[in-house]
Amino acid sequence: EVQLVESGGGLVQPGGSLRLSCAASGFTFSSYYMSWFRQAPGKEREGVATIDSDGSTSYADSVKGRFTISQDNAKNTLYLQMNSLKPEDTAMYYCAADRIYWWLLPNYNYWGQGTQVTVSS
């Protein structure tokens, strides 16, 4: 059974940093494409960051230069380092996985439960 479990969310002040983790199990981690999404109340789910099989990364324009996606195949874990956080980054953050590379489109087959990130003073 595919399982994705996010952690690392919380309350942080504007300008602060957080690192999200997504622990994966039930599938061959290195054979799947992984991405991060977020959804704020009343808004559609949006792609934040994705990593291709060759290690190349893509980001939403709103987070470029502030967020970094990475993965550790030995630990079956996906990460999202978030720096210079802004109030508009407040959302539930989800990791997603699939054998098909959907880039930043929300078409992934497997999703975690999400971890809440709140940026507020």
Side-chain angles (χ1 to χ4, degrees):
E1 178 187 4
V2 172
Q3 283 195 324
L4 302 171
V5 180
E6 302 94 337
S7 62
L11 174 64
V12 63
Q13 291 186 342
S17 297
L18 283 174
R19 188 176 82 155
L20 306 184
S21 298
C22 172
S25 61
F27 62 99
T28 303
F29 185 76
S30 58
S31 298
Y32 277 61
Y33 298 98
M34 306 286 294
S35 297
W36 285 99
F37 290 79
R38 67 186 180 185
Q39 188 166 19
K43 294 188 176 182
E44 293 186 355
R45 188 168 296 188
E46 65 167 338
V48 173
T50 185
I51 184 164
D52 201 346
S53 57
D54 63 359
S56 61
T57 56
S58 297
Y59 299 91
D61 287 344
S62 57
V63 307
K64 277 181 184 176
R66 300 187 298 122
F67 290 11
T68 303
I69 187 173
S70 62
Q71 64 185 56
D72 185 334
N73 290 342
K75 295 183 177 179
N76 288 357
T77 302
L78 179 73
Y79 302 101
L80 184 68
Q81 178 66 43
M82 305 186 297
N83 299 329
S84 302
L85 282 161
K86 304 175 181 180
E88 51 263 43
D89 295 318
T90 296
M92 185 72 77
Y93 283 73
Y94 301 89
C95 64
D98 204 321
R99 293 182 66 91
I100 299 172
Y101 185 48
W102 294 105
W103 191 59
L104 293 173
L105 299 174
N107 299 336
Y108 289 77
N109 200 22
Y110 302 103
W111 295 83
Q113 294 295 318
T115 185
Q116 177 67 38
V117 172
T118 302
V119 184
S120 175
S121 55

